[in-house]
């Protein structure tokens, strides 16, 4: 290989082994770039997106557990499943991580707050009326108040079954 620098010329020997190293490094850099981009996009969304409302006591009886209050978490972090996750009753007892991602009114969501809730009822048959109809999930008063301003009617959420 002939390299010129100003008025001088140098003859460099580049053998096959050197070229293979250079190509391998280029390939590794490409793969690292691809891996970085993939991880960034995969981690940007952790679950499904839906809507949530809230409901107040009375919470009993429920479709899942009737009048058995012992099935309610002591933390009061529970919910009634909407049609989208009800799964013909199979959602009873399922647990979800839920966080508020947006709402009609700015400042409604509590930043960086995620809760774990247990499904104890079916929203359309809950004993008390939810703050909004047709949502993915209806959170207990306590659960809703942890992730959003309790005066909100409905919020947009990200949720993931655990």
């Amino acid at each position: 290989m002939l390299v010129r620098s100003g008025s001088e010329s140098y003859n460099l020997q580049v053998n096959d082994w050197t070229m293979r190293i250079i190509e391998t490094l280029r390939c590794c850099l490409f793969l690292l770039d691809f891996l970085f981009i993939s991880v960034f996009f995969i981690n940007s969304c952790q679950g499904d997106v839906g809507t949530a409302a809230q409901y107040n006591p009375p919470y009993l009886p429920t479709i899942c557990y009737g009048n058995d209050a012992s099935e309610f978490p002591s933390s009061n972090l529970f919910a009634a499943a909407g049609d989208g996750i009800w799964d013909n009753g199979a959602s009873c007892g399922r647990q979800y991580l839920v966080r508020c991602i947006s709402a009609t009114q700015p400042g409604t969501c509590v930043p960086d707050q995620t809760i774990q809730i247990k499904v104890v009822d079916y929203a359309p048959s809950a004993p008390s009326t939810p703050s909004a109809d047709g949502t993915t999930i209806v959170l207990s008063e306590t659960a809703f108040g942890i992730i959003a301003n309790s005066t909100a009617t409905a919020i947009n959420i990200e949720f993931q079954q655990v």
Side-chain angles (χ1 to χ4, degrees):
M1 175 186 283
L2 185 63
V3 178
R4 294 180 186 223
S5 174
S7 62
E8 298 178 23
S9 297
Y10 300 97
N11 192 9
L12 297 177
Q13 293 294 326
V14 179
N15 60 26
D16 289 337
W17 187 79
T18 307
M19 290 304 293
R20 286 183 188 151
I21 290 174
I22 291 170
E23 287 303 313
T24 302
L25 288 173
R26 285 184 185 159
C27 183
C28 287
L29 287 174
F30 172 77
L31 290 173
L32 284 173
D33 286 343
F34 177 76
L35 181 63
F36 174 76
I37 291 168
S38 297
V39 168
F40 175 77
F41 284 110
I42 289 170
N43 287 331
S44 64
C45 184
Q46 298 293 324
D48 294 316
V49 175
T51 55
Q54 64 177 313
Y55 69 133
N56 302 315
Y59 298 119
L60 293 173
T62 71
I63 293 294
C64 296
Y65 305 111
N67 284 308
D68 188 359
S70 70
E71 291 294 335
F72 285 73
S74 59
S75 63
N76 287 323
L77 299 180
F78 57 87
D83 288 324
I85 63 169
W86 177 240
D87 197 14
N88 292 323
S91 66
C92 289
R94 284 184 186 159
Q95 297 200 25
Y96 291 90
L97 294 175
V98 181
R99 74 180 184 100
C100 179
I101 55 174
S102 66
T104 307
Q105 186 68 24
T108 298
C109 295
V110 176
D112 302 320
Q113 192 65 259
T114 301
I115 56 172
Q116 184 169 331
I117 58 94
K118 178 181 177 181
V119 173
V120 298
D121 205 356
Y122 178 47
S125 66
S128 64
T129 307
S131 59
D133 291 327
T135 59
T136 308
I137 202 161
V138 180
L139 299 169
S140 67
E141 181 179 49
T142 302
F144 193 92
I146 291 174
I147 62 170
N149 184 328
S150 59
T151 60
T153 305
I155 57 174
N156 296 312
I157 58 167
E158 180 180 60
F159 65 100
Q160 179 180 8
Q161 185 177 345
V162 291

